Amino acid sequence: MNRRDFVKKKMVVSAALGFGGAGVLSAAEWNPKKEQKPFNLNYAPHLGMFKESAGNDPIDQLNFMADMGFTAFEDNEMKGRDQSLQEKMAKAMMERGISMGVFVAHEIYWDKPNLASGDASLREKFLKEIKESIEVAKRVNAKWMTVVPGHVDLRLRKGYQTANVIESLKRACSLLEPHGLTMVLEPLNFHNHPGLFLTDSPQAFEICKSVDSPSCKILFDIYHQQIQEGNLIPNIDACWDEIGYFQVGDNPGRNEPTTGEINFKNVFKHIHSKGFTGIVGMEHGNSMEGKKGELAVIEAYRITDSF
């Protein structure tokens, strides 16, 4: 299941990247075999982001990420991968000191209600998928998994839908808590995903407070929340106690930092200053194709992480 269709288009990379400029590697100086220092935050690339430099093999890609200084990795599709590959990837991550980030825990209903509806059969299906995801998490040493409550139920008032979602999440937490696992709820913006139940960070905060479990936290996706509500740093502060995971992508375009309007250097500095030691998922595309585009992604994170 492809959870996200990244915007695929060429863009001119920000002048801040300045290939060949002072303090930034030029394409000619690029040496993918030279290990780089770790970043301040645990940024997590995904498979395919560096395939031109590392090749198609997932293990080679993980080793490349580690060589470039990345200390985390996320994979929306991990649950659907062959068990033997999951085990090989887990071994490679352990050997290279890479933390496993989120994977999608269940089927997401993009155009019809599931958790918001209160339908008992859909709730049981969701809980069954959570049980399956617990086994995957154990196999790949994951601590987090993504949950999206699905589409709104237009036949129910918002309060009833919220109560239905909270009840389903409480039941899921009873499964997750004994294993020390956390589902992170991701609010999604109205433009890319119209009609979904969970859209705002205050809404996610309210739900997490109501569920009241260490196994239910917020996935604060900076790309989505820039479109949905803006006011990023104040909203991060307001939700801080319930944020378990971050994801990023610049807007417009949903590509690497420095290609859009978000001041990621300030946002990353703020998150770091608050003592965040979790994972910041790089759930975005590359603004340019090929090895040059992959270098641009790495350099964008070097620039925005320099504080």
Side-chain angles (χ1 to χ4, degrees), residues 114-118 123 126 149-150 160-171 185 197-198 207 211:
N114 60 329
L115 298 189
S117 70
R123 177 177 288 160
F126 168 70
Y160 295 125
Q161 295 182 68
T162 301
N164 290 335
V165 169
I166 290 169
E167 180 59 27
S168 292
L169 298 179
K170 283 183 175 181
R171 296 194 189 186
L185 311 181
F197 171 80
L198 187 61
I207 289 171
V211 174

Side-chain angles (χ1 to χ4, degrees), residues 25 29-37 53-54 60 63-69 96 291 298:
L25 287 172
E29 295 170 321
W30 175 236
N31 181 3
K33 295 183 179 179
K34 182 180 179 182
E35 290 191 21
Q36 305 295 315
K37 67 178 182 179
S53 298
D60 290 340
N63 282 319
F64 180 85
M65 293 170 194
D67 289 344
M68 294 303 101
R96 296 306 308 269
K291 291 184 179 180
I298 297 167

Side-chain angles (χ1 to χ4, degrees), residues 27-302:
E29 295 170 321
W30 175 236
N31 181 3
K33 295 183 179 179
K34 182 180 179 182
E35 290 191 21
Q36 305 295 315
K37 67 178 182 179
F39 294 87
N40 288 307
L41 292 172
N42 295 311
Y43 305 109
H46 53 81
L47 292 183
M49 182 166 271
F50 303 122
K51 66 179 181 179
E52 295 299 323
S53 298
N56 290 321
D57 184 80
I59 307 305
D60 290 340
Q61 292 186 44
L62 287 169
N63 282 319
F64 180 85
M65 293 170 194
D67 289 344
M68 294 303 101
F70 294 105
T71 52
F73 165 75
E74 66 178 23
D75 184 10
N76 288 336
E77 319 300 327
M78 180 63 85
K79 187 174 181 179
R81 300 194 189 282
D82 184 79
Q83 182 173 330
S84 63
L85 178 57
Q86 292 174 356
E87 292 168 350
K88 289 178 183 177
M89 293 173 72
K91 182 174 183 290
M93 285 187 278
M94 184 175 295
E95 290 174 347
R96 296 306 308 269
I98 295 175
S99 297
M100 178 65 202
V102 291
F103 63 93
V104 177
H106 65 108
E107 179 183 359
I108 298 174
Y109 287 63
W110 298 107
D111 54 5
K112 59 183 179 180
N114 60 329
L115 298 189
S117 70
D119 183 290
S121 63
L122 292 174
R123 177 177 288 160
E124 289 306 313
K125 178 178 182 292
F126 168 70
L127 295 175
K128 177 178 179 292
E129 292 168 339
I130 292 296
K131 290 177 183 177
E132 295 167 350
S133 293
I134 289 171
E135 297 309 309
V136 175
K138 290 179 181 178
R139 195 174 300 128
V140 300
N141 300 313
K143 296 180 181 178
W144 304 273
M145 57 186 74
T146 303
V147 167
V148 176
H151 204 273
V152 297
D153 190 328
L154 296 174
R155 296 180 181 276
L156 288 179
R157 299 291 293 272
K158 190 67 171 286
Y160 295 125
Q161 295 182 68
T162 301
N164 290 335
V165 169
I166 290 169
E167 180 59 27
S168 292
L169 298 179
K170 283 183 175 181
R171 296 194 189 186
C173 285
S174 69
L175 301 173
L176 295 166
E177 286 176 4
H179 303 282
L181 300 175
T182 301
M183 57 183 171
V184 284
L185 311 181
E186 184 176 13
L188 300 170
N189 78 75
F190 71 95
H191 179 72
N192 295 112
H193 303 290
L196 292 189
F197 171 80
L198 187 61
T199 58
D200 305 322
S201 59
Q203 179 191 15
F205 182 79
E206 178 184 20
I207 289 171
C208 286
K209 285 297 184 187
S210 298
V211 174
D212 191 23
S213 169
S215 289
C216 183
K217 295 296 178 181
I218 298 170
L219 193 173
F220 195 105
D221 189 314
I222 291 169
Y223 167 77
H224 286 299
Q225 296 321 118
Q226 171 70 359
I227 295 171
Q228 185 68 28
E229 60 195 21
N231 203 31
L232 291 171
I233 288 176
N235 278 321
I236 288 170
D237 284 345
C239 290
W240 188 256
D241 290 348
E242 298 297 333
I243 293 176
Y245 198 99
F246 284 95
Q247 285 181 330
V248 302
D250 216 336
N251 180 62
R254 201 173 191 181
N255 289 311
E256 70 270 14
T258 75
T259 58
E261 65 185 354
I262 302 174
N263 188 336
F264 272 106
K265 187 166 186 176
N266 278 356
V267 174
F268 288 158
K269 182 179 180 181
H270 185 73
I271 293 171
H272 184 263
S273 73
K274 292 178 75 69
F276 185 73
T277 58
I279 291 178
V280 180
M282 298 160 58
E283 198 184 39
H284 58 74
N286 298 1
S287 65
M288 298 187 295
E289 296 179 355
K291 291 184 179 180
K292 186 176 181 181
E294 295 174 0
L295 172 60
V297 169
I298 297 167
E299 288 302 309
Y301 280 91
R302 287 293 173 194

